[in-house]
Amino acid sequence: DAGITQSPRHKVTETGTPVTLRCHQTENHRYMYWYRQDPGHGLRLIHYSYGVKDTDKGEVSDGYSVSRSKTEDFLLTLESATSSQTSVYFCAISPHRRTYEQYFGPGTRLTVT
Amino acid sequence: KNEVEQSPQNLTAQEGEFITINCSYSVGISALHWLQQHPGGGIVSLFMLSSGKKKHGRLIATINIQEKHSSLHITASHPRDSAVYICAVREGSNTDKLIFGTGTRLQVFP
């Protein structure tokens, strides 16, 4: 199994509070991705990173920001959580964006009340 | 209309049956992925293919680029195959991004 961990695994927070989710990898892969998974939708890309300090937006980036100051860590921040951000969040990594599979972390279940 | 459509959405089978899950897409792609999501939530990559057919154990994945269609077959299905199977495509050849289907939930009963 690829060495990917996510923390926390579960979180309940109140509307309006800031939340940071962490993705940590031990594979030294260049590419990292944050997705959210909601019923009736496929996994949707929030943000991704193609190197330290290099990030770009996905299709559902509004309300989210990311940072990557080290190869191994990719942080997803909800500046002011809303109920619509209740979801399961998955981090994924890939050694090469086009020719390799993506390896997924275990997921973080976030509930915003 | 979603760019990636899977059918059926739900599938039940008896142990030992041959299973087929279908994926159709509407965009030009450079690769197609099949993923498995276990009841506990973990997601595992099963196959990545851009042409032809791949086999791993009891799993077979095929793709027809002209018809924009892929199938995932499970031979001699087993209750441990119960999971959600997800199709995803990489659009074009110059993108990092995958477009995911909504998944097919498979339940295999003993």
Side-chain angles (χ1 to χ4, degrees), chain A residues 9 31 33 35 37 40-45 48 50 57-59 90 97-102 104-106, chain B residues 2 30-31 33 35 37 40-48 86 90 93-102:
Chain A
R9 294 292 312 280
Y31 295 88
Y33 307 82
Y35 295 96
Q37 186 178 43
H41 294 273
L43 286 155
R44 291 182 291 174
L45 182 65
Y48 65 106
Y50 41 97
K57 295 179 180 181
E59 62 179 298
F90 286 95
R97 63 183 183 181
R98 294 178 204 166
T99 59
Y100 282 80
E101 300 157 341
Q102 292 186 11
F104 287 80
Chain B
N2 292 335
S30 56
H33 299 249
L35 309 161
Q37 185 168 25
I43 299 173
V44 175
S45 180
L46 297 174
F47 295 103
M48 186 183 72
I86 301 170
R90 187 180 305 280
S93 59
N94 197 30
T95 178
D96 303 318
K97 303 169 191 176
L98 296 178
I99 307 170
F100 292 82
T102 55

Side-chain angles (χ1 to χ4, degrees), chain A residues 8-21 64 76-87 89 108-113:
Chain A
R9 294 292 312 280
H10 302 271
K11 186 170 182 67
V12 180
T13 192
E14 293 184 348
T15 298
T17 59
V19 176
T20 295
L21 309 182
Y64 302 94
L76 177 71
T77 298
L78 292 65
E79 300 289 349
S80 177
T82 67
S83 58
S84 65
Q85 293 175 312
T86 292
S87 187
Y89 292 86
T108 294
R109 183 174 296 275
L110 175 67
T111 302
V112 183
T113 61

Side-chain angles (χ1 to χ4, degrees), chain B residues 53-72:
Chain B
K53 175 178 170 179
K54 286 191 175 181
K55 185 175 188 292
H56 185 258
R58 294 180 296 106
L59 301 178
I60 303 166
T62 64
I63 187 168
N64 185 319
I65 296 293
Q66 287 72 30
E67 295 185 5
K68 295 187 175 179
H69 181 268
S70 175
S71 293
L72 177 68

Side-chain angles (χ1 to χ4, degrees), chain B:
Chain B
K1 186 181 186 297
N2 292 335
E3 292 160 303
V4 179
E5 298 274 0
Q6 290 185 235
S7 63
Q9 289 188 331
N10 295 283
L11 184 56
T12 58
Q14 289 296 125
E15 184 173 356
E17 286 185 7
F18 181 83
I19 304 291
T20 296
I21 298 170
N22 297 296
C23 176
S24 296
Y25 51 92
S26 57
V27 296
I29 70 168
S30 56
L32 183 142
H33 299 249
W34 281 103
L35 309 161
Q36 181 191 54
Q37 185 168 25
H38 291 283
I43 299 173
V44 175
S45 180
L46 297 174
F47 295 103
M48 186 183 72
L49 64 166
S50 54
S51 64
K53 175 178 170 179
K54 286 191 175 181
K55 185 175 188 292
H56 185 258
R58 294 180 296 106
L59 301 178
I60 303 166
T62 64
I63 187 168
N64 185 319
I65 296 293
Q66 287 72 30
E67 295 185 5
K68 295 187 175 179
H69 181 268
S70 175
S71 293
L72 177 68
H73 305 287
I74 305 174
T75 62
S77 58
H78 190 276
R80 65 174 175 266
D81 297 325
S82 298
V84 175
Y85 292 84
I86 301 170
C87 172
V89 302
R90 187 180 305 280
E91 184 180 2
S93 59
N94 197 30
T95 178
D96 303 318
K97 303 169 191 176
L98 296 178
I99 307 170
F100 292 82
T102 55
T104 294
R105 183 175 301 276
L106 171 65
Q107 290 184 288
V108 182
F109 294 98

